[in-house]
């Protein structure tokens, strides 16, 4: 579905943010892009969605293909129309609009307007808390409620691919588990492909099928998520601490992976 091939991205024509980044997203799959703050995760997602151009950034080389079509020179609204929805880091809601008005904004580009009420009920089935809060102004919602809202708003567009940037940012562990369980359900039930950019590697790898590690704008490791999570460098850098030679983590990948699969370094 999505193929990012050896892209370089710069800001203000001088700051190299990505250096020959490549990744693949199969139809209906979930891919985790993990790395520390400033590693290039957000820039990768912005390069895919076209938002990079709005921040004095650009893809200077390489290609991005979606459903066989080159998109790296397309405008963000064009990319949104072909089925890619980007949930930005920081829970960007329209604070003066109600929760339901925010959700309806997600359906702005849909041509099948008669199906929007059905889409709204679908979102409420995944996030019943939003139905209770549908008339409340979004600026008064909690961080967790706003995160549910922006994911629900993306779902209203009926996308083929959702790009999620740090969905766990600033949330309590219990709420992170709740949101990740819902993300996993959406992927399974709606067949929506997802790329999840996260510092919280344990959460992302727990539901992803495949993962990439990005450092200083370079992909340094990749592999099936369970295999990637077992890699020593990933354990130490992103998943927890070594204590008495034993790995400590609250997040364990759930999906199955073959024991003989290898990680590409």
């Amino acid at each position: 579905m999505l193929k990012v091939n050896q892209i370089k991205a710069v800001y203000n024509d001088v700051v190299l943010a990505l250096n020959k980044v490549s990744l693949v997203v199969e139809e209906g799959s979930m891919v985790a892009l993990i790395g520390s703050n400033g590693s290039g995760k957000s820039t990768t997602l912005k390069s895919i969605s076209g938002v990079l151009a709005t921040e004095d950034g650009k893809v200077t080389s390489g290609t991005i293909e979606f459903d066989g079509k080159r998109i790296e020179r397309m405008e963000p609204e064009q990319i949104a129309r072909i089925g890619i929805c980007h949930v930005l880091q920081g829970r960007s809601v329209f604070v003066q609009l109600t929760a339901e008005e925010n959700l309806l904004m997600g359906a702005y580009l849909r041509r099948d307007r008669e199906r929007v009420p059905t889409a709204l009920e679908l979102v409420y089935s995944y996030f019943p808390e939003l139905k209770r809060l549908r008339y409340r102004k979004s600026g008064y919602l909690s961080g967790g409620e706003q995160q549910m809202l922006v994911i629900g708003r993306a779902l209203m567009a009926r996308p083929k691919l959702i790009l999620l940037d740090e969905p766990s940012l600033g949330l309590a562990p219990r709420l992170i588990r709740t949101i990740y369980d819902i993300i996993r359900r959406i992927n399974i039930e709606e067949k929506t492909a997802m790329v999840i950019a996260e510092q919280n590697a344990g959460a992302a790898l727990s539901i992803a099928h495949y993962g990439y590690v990005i450092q200083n704008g370079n992909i340094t490791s990749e592999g099936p998520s369970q295999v990637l999570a077992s890699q020593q460098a990933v354990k130490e850098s992103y998943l927890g601490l070594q204590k008495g030679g034993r790995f400590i983590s609250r997040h364990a990948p759930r999906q199955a992976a073959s024991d003989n699969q290898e990680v590409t370094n």
Side-chain angles (χ1 to χ4, degrees), residues 172 174 201 206 217 220:
R174 179 185 59 80
S206 73
T220 58

Side-chain angles (χ1 to χ4, degrees), residues 202-220:
L205 292 174
S206 73
I207 64 170
H209 304 109
Y210 201 85
Y212 295 84
V213 178
I214 186 168
Q215 295 178 352
N216 299 318
N218 296 275
I219 299 295
T220 58

Side-chain angles (χ1 to χ4, degrees), residues 47-58:
S47 297
I48 296 167
S49 69
V51 174
L52 190 66
T54 70
E55 300 182 351
D56 294 320
K58 61 183 178 181

